[in-house]
Every structure is written in C-alpha cells, then in structure tokens.
Amino acid sequence: MKTVSLFELISALPHTPWITYEKDFFIVDMTYRPGSRTVLAYPCKFDGIICMYCIEGHFQLSIGLDDYDVRPDGFAISLPGDIVRLEKANGEETGKVRLLGVSGKLLKEMDFDMAKAMNVFSYRMVQASIKYKILIHNFRNIFRSILLEQHVDTGKSLAYVLGAMSIEIENIWSRLAYGPQRKYQDGGRLTDRFLSLVAKHHLEHREIDYYATEIGLTSKYLSTAVKRESGRTAAQWIVSYVLLEAKYYLKQTKMTIKEIAFELHFSNQMELYRYFLRHTGMTPSDYRNRPQ
C-alpha cells in the first residue's frame, strides 16, 4: 500500500486546514454530513503522525488490525506506517472530528523516539478527561500563536511545542490507558520538559524560579538553555501561555474582567490590566471589544 504524505492528505481533504506550516503540520476540523465520505474512508498509510479528536458524532476507526468505537471526546493517534481508516458509524448522522498531522520530516527534527512510541501507544485510543481536553485546547492555541507570528525560528518553536505536547500525550495514555501516570524520566530535551511544566502550571506560577526549581537548575541556566534551544526565552513562553488563556476568556466567555483575573490567579483586576497592557499594548477591554 502506498504511503501517503501529509501534503497529499491535506490536498485530498474537503476542508481547508485552519492551521498549517509548510507541508509538515496541520490542524483541521472536518464535518461529516449525511452521506459524505472523505479520503480517510479508505485505508491509508501515512508517513507521519495523525491525532484524531472526536468533537461530535459516532465514528468507526481502524488502525492496523484493531477497530475502535470513537465517540465524543475520544482521542486517537496513528503512528508512521499505520494503516488507517475512519468513517461515520451511522451515515445519516452529522459528525465532527479535529485532525492534527505532523510529517515524518518534522518528527525527525523533533528526534521523535519511534520505538518508545510503539510501546506507549500500543492501544491507540483513550477517552479524554476534562483536564486533558483543556490541555489539548491550550496547545492548539499555542500552535495558532506561533504560526500567526512566523519568524526565522518558527519551525524550531513549533518542533519544541510538539515535543512538549508529545510528553503530555504520553501522560494521557499512561494515565487513561495504563493506570497510574509514570514520572517524567530524564533524557528528553530540557525545553520539552520546561514547556510540559508550563502547560500545566502557568496559571499558578508565572515566575521562572518555580520551573527552575522543579527541573533542578538555576533560573539563569534555564533561561539561557531554553532561549538557545527554542529561540524564545523562558519568560516569553510563560507569557504566551498566560495571554492565550486571557484572550480565550475575553473573547469566548461573558465573564467580567474581575472574574477573569480571579480565574487566571491574578490578585486583582488591576494586576491583570497592567500585565495584559504591558505584553499586548492594549487593555483587556480594548481587546475584548476589538472586531474578530
């Protein structure tokens, strides 16, 4: 069976991805209407990783010789070389899935450990909890931020965020598919470990010292290493996570700014006001009222 490249898959999909990077990365929401079929309805083998998250409906997913019953909040992953087939279980129902694809080329740049992945993801689907749905949402917004502000180190930044995401996805499987979560073991890049911690703790801890202590380094060493490896300072990464949370609540909820400040662990509304203004050049109210 022919191995399909990520670019060929993107070209064959009926929906335009809303996040892409060259031919190596994409995120797309696919809506299945009654009677509709896509290229994924036929067995395909890809040269990269495809993550699938079910938003609505009921799907039948085949990966290799294993069949999975996928319902809302089902989270599945296919690895390079897997034979994949996905279609609605009931052709008369509407369904929606979010796909994230990473090419084999980008996986090499990430130093992706295929042998480890084959062991961790021996069972290819889990049912995502509320905690991990929020985590997935946060990573999606980080990807959007990086790709909207493209610069000379965009590819490097993307690779490191994907590395951090891969650690978290491994934790999902460790917790939901295999029982108690395993402790992080050394051997991965420092930036991967740092971003993994930031994704979990950026609301409670906006200071670099916390992450340096958790990793067992000085703040100066951590900042220097993260800047060297990712093109961004540790402080910039932390700010990016916090701002994405703030922007989400400002645009997607009707919470007051005072309520948002409390949700984001600021001591009061004025502290959030100053933080947001310093890092974006506009007030929270101005951002909320700005046209989409």
Side-chain angles (χ1 to χ4, degrees), residues 43-170:
C44 301
K45 184 164 66 172
F46 302 105
D47 70 345
I49 284 179
I50 307 292
C51 295
M52 292 160 272
Y53 177 71
C54 181
I55 300 172
E56 176 186 353
H58 179 198
F59 293 83
Q60 293 294 330
L61 170 67
S62 298
I63 300 179
L65 298 177
D66 298 317
D67 296 322
Y68 301 93
D69 189 50
V70 185
R71 297 179 184 273
D73 297 332
F75 187 43
I77 184 168
S78 70
L79 299 176
D82 281 344
I83 298 173
V84 181
R85 184 170 179 265
L86 176 71
E87 63 178 355
K88 290 208 311 293
N90 185 336
E92 300 306 312
E93 294 180 350
T94 297
K96 187 174 183 179
V97 293
R98 176 165 295 150
L99 302 179
L100 179 151
V102 183
S103 73
K105 175 187 172 185
L106 194 52
L107 290 175
K108 289 180 181 178
E109 294 178 9
M110 294 165 53
D111 290 334
F112 184 76
D113 189 339
M114 186 64 181
K116 180 181 178 182
M118 292 293 291
N119 179 55
V120 172
F121 303 118
S122 58
Y123 187 78
R124 296 286 204 267
M125 195 195 83
V126 296
Q127 201 68 19
S129 65
I130 294 293
K131 175 182 177 181
Y132 287 113
K133 285 192 286 184
I134 293 172
L135 194 66
I136 292 167
H137 171 80
N138 287 341
F139 274 113
R140 182 198 69 176
N141 284 339
I142 288 290
F143 291 138
R144 185 200 296 269
S145 175
I146 290 172
L147 296 175
L148 286 177
E149 302 173 6
Q150 293 200 20
H151 50 79
V152 67
D153 288 319
T154 292
K156 185 183 292 186
S157 296
L158 179 62
Y160 278 107
V161 174
L162 284 168
M165 183 178 176
S166 71
I167 292 173
E168 292 308 313
I169 291 177
E170 288 175 12

